[in-house]
């Protein structure tokens, strides 16, 4: 981010606006979710609209019926994921902050997402309670970056062959290639990427992204069939 000029950021945002103008029409429930998150003073660290739609399309593409999200915030990404589900599908989303969970529950109710359960608590503690509700078809990792290595471990335990694991914020404006970084969040996602890359149980890649949320990226991993 610090190496990126204002003009460059403006261009990325203009292109995101162009993409949204084509592919992501205004949506009352999603727009209200962002407005209420802002009004409640929550940080604007939701996925971008086109990224939310990407999550929905990925969930549809894998035919997800059971989705696990780690890091709810105001439920913006959660609404996108819930919209990919068939009538009997479910999203379980984990959130540590009670204020965030409260805003999310209201946003999800207004969006008509009756198929979402917000589980309050530190994900390191709520993940081990989900074994009876596994396997999940898609896992979206987006909570505290220091926890990503642990969240990968639990994603694998709660998966089946074919499960898609998606992780947000795995590039951190290029921080992952800074050998001198002492940022615990960058170290967390870098360790996560290394763990995923070295794990023979998954086939994985990462893609960097630029846009209204800056320069970051997603890691995608599919649990192998054999
Ligand atoms: N997925 C959301 C953004 C999530 S922001 C979206 O794109 O719309 C990250 C969220 O993770 C924050 O709400 C934060 O409170 C939550 N979080 C941070 N540490 C956590 C932990 N240990 N367990 C569960 N949630 C956590
Ligand atoms: C942060 C967290 C996110 O999930 C995100 O998409 C962007 C930033 C953060 O904690 O700074
Ligand atoms: Mg994120």
């Amino acid at each position: 981010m610090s190496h990126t000029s204002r003009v460059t950021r403006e261009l990325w945002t203009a292109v995101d606006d162009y993409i949204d103008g084509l592919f992501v029409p205004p949506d009352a429930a999603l727009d209200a979710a962002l407005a209420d998150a802002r009004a409640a003073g929550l940080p604007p660290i939701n996925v971008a609209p086109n990224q939310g739609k990407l999550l929905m399309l990925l969930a549809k593409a894998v035919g997800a019926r059971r989705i696990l999200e780690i890091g709810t915030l105001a439920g913006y990404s959660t609404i996108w994921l819930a919209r990919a589900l068939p009538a009997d599908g479910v999203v379980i989303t984990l959130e540590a902050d009670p204020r965030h969970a409260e805003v999310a529950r209201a946003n999800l109710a207004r969006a008509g997402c009756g198929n979402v359960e917000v589980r309050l608590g530190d994900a390191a503690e709520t993940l081990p309670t989900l074994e009876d509700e596994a396997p999940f078809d898609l896992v979206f990792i987006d909570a505290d970056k220091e926890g990503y290595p642990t969240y990968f471990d639990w994603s694998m335990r709660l998966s089946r062959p074919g499960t898609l694991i998606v992780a947000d914020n795995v590039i951190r404006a290029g921080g992952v290639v800074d050998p001198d970084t002492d940022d615990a969040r960058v170290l967390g996602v870098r360790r996560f990427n290394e763990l995923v890359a070295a794990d023979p149980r998954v086939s994985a890649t990462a893609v960097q992204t630029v846009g209204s949320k800056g320069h970051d990226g997603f890691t995608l991993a599919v649990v192998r069939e054999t």
Side-chain angles (χ1 to χ4, degrees), residues 45-47 69 71-73 76-77 94-97 100 121-123 140 142-144 151:
I45 55 175
N46 51 276
V47 293
E69 178 179 65
T72 315
L73 191 62
Y76 182 78
S77 55
L94 310 181
E95 176 54 53
D97 187 317
H100 297 184
D122 181 344
F140 179 47
D142 196 21
D144 58 298
Y151 303 149

Side-chain angles (χ1 to χ4, degrees), residues 52-213:
K53 188 161 184 185
L54 173 64
L55 292 174
M56 183 187 78
L57 294 172
L58 289 171
K60 278 186 184 287
V62 301
R65 308 175 80 83
R66 303 186 61 74
I67 296 175
L68 172 62
E69 178 179 65
I70 308 172
T72 315
L73 191 62
Y76 182 78
S77 55
T78 324
I79 295 170
W80 279 111
L81 289 167
R83 287 183 175 177
L85 290 174
D88 61 345
V90 65
V91 180
I92 295 177
T93 182
L94 310 181
E95 176 54 53
D97 187 317
R99 282 196 328 118
H100 297 184
E102 185 187 337
V103 174
R105 287 188 175 119
N107 282 335
L108 289 158
R110 178 175 44 208
C113 299
N115 49 1
V116 177
E117 296 175 32
V118 182
R119 303 273 173 92
L120 183 62
D122 181 344
E125 280 157 30
T126 51
L127 283 164
T129 72
L130 296 178
E131 270 167 327
D132 289 347
E133 296 170 281
F136 294 93
D137 308 307
L138 186 151
V139 182
F140 179 47
I141 301 174
D142 196 21
D144 58 298
K145 310 313 160 196
E146 297 88 334
Y148 274 34
T150 300
Y151 303 149
F152 176 56
D153 185 32
W154 276 103
S155 298
M156 292 304 299
R157 291 183 198 225
L158 300 172
S159 291
R160 57 164 174 78
T163 293
L164 174 63
I165 299 168
V166 182
D168 193 24
N169 311 119
V170 300
I171 301 299
R172 306 307 315 221
V176 287
V177 297
D178 176 0
D180 300 322
T181 188
D182 57 1
D183 182 328
R185 294 167 301 181
V186 173
L187 295 172
V189 299
R190 186 158 70 195
R191 180 80 189 127
F192 168 85
N193 285 329
E194 290 165 1
L195 288 168
V196 174
D199 197 316
R201 297 171 300 173
V202 297
S203 179
T205 191
V207 284
Q208 58 185 334
T209 57
V210 296
S212 58
K213 299 291 176 180

